[in-house]
Amino acid sequence: MDNHQQSLEDRYGRKLTYLRVSVTDRCNLRCMYCVPRNGIEKVHHADVLSYEELFRLCRIAVDLGIKKIRVTGGEPLVRIDIDKFLLQLAEISGLSEITLTTNGVFLGSYLETFKAAGIRRINISLDTLVRGKYEFITGHDCLLPVLDSIDRAFNAGFNPVKINVVVMRGINDDEVEDLARLSMDRPFHIRFIEYMPMGGSSQDFPDLYMPSSDIAGLIEEALGPLEPVRSKKGDGPARRFKIKGAAGEVGFISAVSNHFCDSCNRLRLTATGCLRTCLL
C-alpha cells in the first residue's frame, strides 16, 4: 500500500499523523498528578494487548497515514521485552519517527538498544532536582537514577533529550529557574507543562495550578528575555523559546490556559486496545 496516498482525518478536519501507543497501564512510580489518592485498579494482564497485536495495529496505522509513533505507558520500561518491540517497530516501512516517553528510572540499561531501533528523541519526566521532593511527588526515592539516565542519554547522542516538568504551585514552582538552567550548557529541551485536573489531581487543582504565563515570567525574571523559536511542522503543542546564549531551549505546554485542540494531530491507542483522539 502506498503510504503517501493515505490520510486519517477526524470529523473536525484534523489530519492525524501521530500515534501514541500505551504498552502498559502499570508504572513503578505514583506521581501525585497522575495517580488518584486511592490508587488505580490495574488492568488484568489478559486484557492488555500483546506485542503482536500492538505491532499489527501500528502497521495498519502507518498504512493509513501515521508518520510518528510515541511509545508510552504507564511506564513503558516496566513491560518485559519492550526493547524487542521497539526494534520490531523500527522495521515498519513508512514510519518516519519513533519516540519514547519514560520516567527515566530504568532507561540507562536500554539506551544502546533504543539507538539501534532508530530512536533519537526521548522524553524524560523530571519535576524536581531535590531528592526529598522527588520522593514526595512520585512516592519513590529515584531521583539519582533519573539524573544518571539523562546524562547517559545525552552522552549516547540522543538529540534532543526532552525533559518534561509538571509545575505545581507551592511544590516545585521555586525550582523553575533551576530546571530552565538545564538548557543553558546542554541542548536539552525543557518542557514546562501546566498542571491539569486529571487522575487524582482534580481536588487539588485550584491550589496547585500555575499558568504558563506565570512560569515564563519566573524564567524571564531570573534569566532574561525568552526568544521565540519557530516551530516546525509536527513539533506538537509546545510553544518554544530560547534563553539568550543557551545551548538548548524551553517550551510551554498550556493545555489549560491556551487550548490547542484545533491543531491536535494525535491518535491514542490504549494498552487495552481502545482508540482515542483525546486523553479526556
Side-chain angles (χ1 to χ4, degrees):
M1 184 179 294
D2 186 347
N3 297 316
H4 299 289
Q5 299 303 312
Q6 303 299 310
S7 177
L8 281 173
E9 188 173 304
D10 69 9
R11 60 180 174 171
Y12 301 106
R14 298 178 298 186
K15 293 188 182 300
L16 306 176
T17 59
Y18 174 6
L19 177 65
R20 294 177 66 102
V21 178
S22 173
V23 297
T24 180
D25 68 315
R26 285 162 167 72
C27 186
N28 54 310
L29 302 181
R30 292 176 57 85
C31 296
M32 59 186 298
Y33 49 78
C34 182
V35 180
R37 293 174 180 177
N38 58 353
I40 294 176
E41 184 177 353
K42 293 183 174 63
V43 174
H44 193 278
H45 284 295
D47 296 325
V48 175
L49 295 181
S50 67
Y51 282 136
E52 290 77 12
E53 291 168 323
L54 287 167
F55 178 73
R56 179 171 182 265
L57 289 170
C58 289
R59 189 177 57 205
I60 291 170
V62 173
D63 283 343
L64 294 174
I66 292 295
K67 301 298 182 186
K68 174 180 176 180
I69 290 179
R70 177 177 297 282
V71 175
T72 70
E75 168 52 43
L77 303 191
V78 303
R79 183 161 178 179
I80 295 173
D81 291 334
I82 183 63
D83 50 342
K84 295 178 182 177
F85 174 64
L86 287 166
L87 286 169
Q88 190 178 29
L89 279 185
E91 298 175 358
I92 298 178
S93 176
L95 185 58
S96 62
E97 187 175 350
I98 305 170
T99 59
L100 177 79
T101 294
T102 173
N103 59 40
V105 175
F106 303 130
L107 178 61
S109 60
Y110 285 101
L111 287 170
E112 291 305 318
T113 301
F114 291 166
K115 281 194 72 173
I119 293 176
R120 296 295 178 266
R121 297 168 177 259
I122 294 179
N123 285 34
I124 302 173
S125 298
L126 180 67
D127 302 314
T128 176
L129 298 171
V130 179
R131 188 170 175 181
K133 194 183 296 185
Y134 186 95
E135 185 172 7
F136 173 75
I137 293 172
T138 68
H140 293 272
D141 181 14
C142 294
L143 176 61
L144 296 184
V146 174
L147 294 177
D148 180 64
S149 290
I150 291 171
D151 284 340
R152 292 174 67 177
F154 170 73
N155 291 329
F158 287 84
N159 185 28
V161 174
K162 293 185 179 181
I163 297 174
N164 292 340
V165 183
V166 176
V167 180
M168 294 165 282
R169 191 183 297 276
I171 294 181
N172 64 346
D173 57 322
D174 60 332
E175 293 187 73
V176 166
E177 175 188 343
D178 292 335
L179 288 159
R181 282 187 185 276
L182 295 177
S183 71
M184 295 300 294
D185 297 327
R186 292 181 173 183
F188 293 151
H189 290 196
I190 315 299
R191 295 288 186 259
F192 293 98
I193 303 171
E194 288 183 344
Y195 183 78
M196 293 179 284
M198 296 178 63
S201 66
S202 298
Q203 182 176 338
D204 300 323
F205 175 73
D207 297 325
L208 300 183
Y209 169 68
M210 190 171 187
S212 291
S213 57
D214 287 1
I215 301 168
L218 290 175
I219 296 172
E220 291 195 305
E221 182 179 348
L223 301 175
L226 293 173
E227 303 170 355
V229 174
R230 180 176 295 180
S231 295
K232 302 187 298 294
K233 185 177 181 180
D235 267 352
R239 292 178 297 118
R240 302 166 55 200
F241 300 87
K242 284 182 75 75
I243 301 165
K244 187 175 181 179
E249 62 180 62
V250 300
F252 304 94
I253 298 178
S254 313
V256 177
S257 65
N258 185 21
H259 300 308
F260 43 79
C261 300
D262 60 328
S263 60
C264 183
N265 65 340
R266 303 182 185 190
L267 188 63
R268 296 164 177 87
L269 175 63
T270 72
T272 56
C274 296
L275 280 172
R276 297 176 177 169
T277 53
C278 183
L279 285 175
L280 301 178

